[in-house]
Amino acid sequence: MKPGLAWITGGSSGIGRAIAVRLIADGWRVAATARSVEALAEFAASPEARGQVFAYAADATDRQAMVDTAAKIEAERGPVDLLVCSAGPYVAFGLADWSADKMMNLMKLNVGGVANALEAVLPRFLARDKGHIAIVSSLTQYRGMGRTVAYGASKSALRTIAESLRLLARGTGIKVQIIVPGY
């Protein structure tokens, strides 16, 4: 794919930031979204950003904020060519510290945040008959791994979402991938 504009959720740290740095090295411009205004500003000002990271603070769990952010990015920077859904922390817990709240909050961010970002870009990609979606998952998507009960469940859901989207996108100019980093 020819370099263009990538929108990365969870783009200020971790895997999202690493993907941004790699894309910049390959000639891409990056609109990075995260909840932390400070972390985004630090990344955008860092030498590794090379002046090609543009900060857009938003909470991926806020559907309207994601729709508004996509519109703002495209108004200020041009069409998004690549969406990388990377927002989503690792939260571990076991039987003794089981928490339905922790489980639901993780699902809201890891699954709901992806759904919100997709809702923000899919109409744009369909209208242009092109676009690239990359969803960051985990090896925990394949099987239960102890204290990863909530995290693994959320990543399994992302795998199903990506596989289904790939099938739905057949015949369009939209490419869908899942990224499965190792430990």
Side-chain angles (χ1 to χ4, degrees):
M1 178 179 220
K2 184 177 145 188
L5 178 64
W7 179 23
I8 303 177
T9 66
S12 67
S13 63
I15 292 170
R17 183 171 175 151
I19 291 170
V21 169
R22 174 55 194 252
L23 288 172
I24 292 163
D26 290 343
W28 288 78
R29 295 173 301 128
V30 173
T33 297
R35 289 180 280 196
S36 172
V37 173
E38 296 80 20
L40 285 167
E42 180 276 321
F43 181 34
S46 72
E48 66 187 347
R50 299 182 190 180
Q52 297 303 307
V53 172
F54 310 100
Y56 291 89
D59 183 343
T61 66
D62 182 334
R63 184 184 137 293
Q64 191 59 53
M66 295 305 283
V67 169
D68 294 345
T69 299
K72 186 174 182 182
I73 290 167
E74 291 208 345
E76 294 177 0
R77 306 288 171 197
V80 171
D81 300 293
L82 167 63
L83 169 66
V84 179
C85 295
S86 183
Y90 171 75
V91 177
F93 57 90
L95 294 176
D97 56 344
W98 181 266
S99 167
D101 281 341
K102 287 180 193 174
M103 179 92 174
M104 296 312 293
N105 287 336
L106 197 60
M107 294 298 266
K108 183 177 180 181
L109 178 53
N110 288 359
V111 179
V114 169
N116 291 338
L118 290 169
E119 183 173 318
V121 299
L122 278 173
R124 298 165 188 285
F125 286 1
L126 286 167
R128 293 191 293 264
D129 196 32
K130 71 176 186 175
H132 189 157
I133 298 164
I135 299 172
V136 178
S137 184
S138 164
L139 288 173
T140 63
Q141 74 180 13
Y142 297 116
R143 67 180 320 143
M145 295 183 180
R147 296 176 53 86
T148 67
V149 63
Y151 183 76
S154 70
K155 296 304 184 171
S156 292
L158 294 182
R159 184 178 96 209
T160 300
I161 290 167
E163 289 173 350
S164 297
L165 283 175
R166 187 177 313 120
L167 294 172
L168 292 169
R170 280 189 183 158
T172 72
I174 300 171
K175 179 179 181 178
V176 181
Q177 293 180 294
I178 190 151
I179 300 168
V180 185
Y183 290 100

